[in-house]
Amino acid sequence: ILIHVPDSSGLNVKNDCFFAAVDFNLVDGGTGAKLYYAGDEQVVNTALEMFLEDSRLVCETPFERTYTIGNRTVVVGIPDSEPEFQKLLEQHEISYKDISGKWEAFRIQNVSKDGNSYLFIIGSDPRGVAYGVLELSRQIGVSPWVWWADVVPEKKQDVVCTFYEHIYEKDIPEYLKVAYYQLVHYPVAASAAMNRKMLYAQKSRLY
């Protein structure tokens, strides 16, 4: 069983946004949870594909995408630009105002309702939610160095994670964000291959 206490490697953790700690079964009996994303942001879909690839290294039955929301579903989205996701947050009484308008930030929150357990990855923008998805790879024990065949993750039957309702965001001064975006980042509408390279670089910073 892997219990996660978040750290701030590569990202700034806003401690003033702490609420409570709850558990979510990412892997249960060798089976990964379901992933639900109804949006069309390419960088988010690329991050989901990367995570699905990682889960095949760890789970007997890997995570898989779903078009319905049921028990043990990871629900991914951007409330500021995806009305359906915003509605889901409101239905589950999850506040998102604290993350709206932030830059490449995300928050992970577990919710139980009617006997079902859900995990919400709430992003302030496309890259924010993509980084939240990649955090799941770290949770299940997949190192970014697996891409170079340097580290082989072990199979796991159960992964239970504790998520604290922190906001994770890059600690970059406001006046530097425009220059940083232009010099370091690819556009959000970049090709899948370019997004994948960018996300691999960020993935190594999360560890």
Side-chain angles (χ1 to χ4, degrees):
I1 296 177
L2 173 65
I3 303 297
H4 168 55
V5 177
D7 59 49
S8 55
S9 300
L11 295 172
N12 185 35
V13 181
K14 296 296 186 181
N15 291 316
D16 57 338
C17 295
F18 175 81
F19 295 98
V22 289
D23 293 340
F24 184 81
N25 295 326
L26 277 173
V27 181
D28 188 7
T31 301
K34 305 292 185 183
L35 299 172
Y36 178 88
Y37 176 57
D40 57 4
E41 294 288 352
Q42 189 175 72
V43 68
V44 178
N45 282 308
T46 299
L48 288 167
E49 290 170 7
M50 291 169 62
F51 174 66
L52 290 174
E53 292 169 4
D54 286 346
S55 76
R56 295 186 186 104
L57 302 173
V58 173
C59 307
E60 293 175 0
T61 304
F63 287 69
E64 62 180 14
R65 297 188 66 167
T66 181
Y67 296 99
T68 59
I69 300 175
N71 187 37
R72 288 186 61 233
T73 299
V74 179
V75 186
V76 175
I78 310 160
D80 284 352
S81 60
E82 295 169 353
E84 178 186 342
F85 183 67
Q86 185 181 113
K87 185 176 180 180
L88 285 170
L89 293 178
E90 292 169 351
Q91 288 174 347
H92 290 84
E93 300 180 347
I94 299 174
S95 174
Y96 55 87
K97 299 300 183 182
D98 56 351
I99 201 166
S100 294
K102 292 186 180 293
W103 196 68
E104 298 190 358
F106 68 89
R107 177 157 56 83
I108 301 177
Q109 183 171 340
N110 172 257
V111 173
S112 295
K113 185 175 182 180
D114 299 327
N116 294 326
S117 182
Y118 313 99
L119 188 70
F120 284 82
I121 300 179
I122 308 162
S124 62
D125 52 29
R127 283 203 181 86
V129 75
Y131 299 156
V133 171
L134 293 183
E135 169 66 13
L136 297 185
S137 285
R138 188 169 81 92
Q139 294 290 330
I140 64 174
V142 179
S143 165
W145 310 119
V146 73
W147 194 45
W148 290 277
D150 289 339
V151 178
V152 179
E154 62 182 44
K155 294 286 185 179
K156 292 186 174 67
Q157 284 296 306
D158 298 284
V159 177
V160 180
C161 294
T162 301
F163 292 97
Y164 297 82
E165 296 179 35
H166 296 289
I167 290 178
Y168 298 70
E169 65 179 314
K170 291 190 174 180
D171 193 14
I172 298 173
E174 195 71 32
Y175 68 92
L176 289 178
K177 286 185 177 180
V178 173
Y180 180 88
Y181 183 89
Q182 292 174 341
L183 293 173
V184 179
H185 279 69
Y186 297 112
V188 171
S191 69
M194 293 172 71
N195 275 325
R196 183 172 284 258
K197 289 179 181 178
M198 179 273 295
L199 289 171
Y200 268 119
Q202 176 62 21
K203 189 176 180 182
S204 65
R205 293 185 64 211
L206 291 173
Y207 281 68

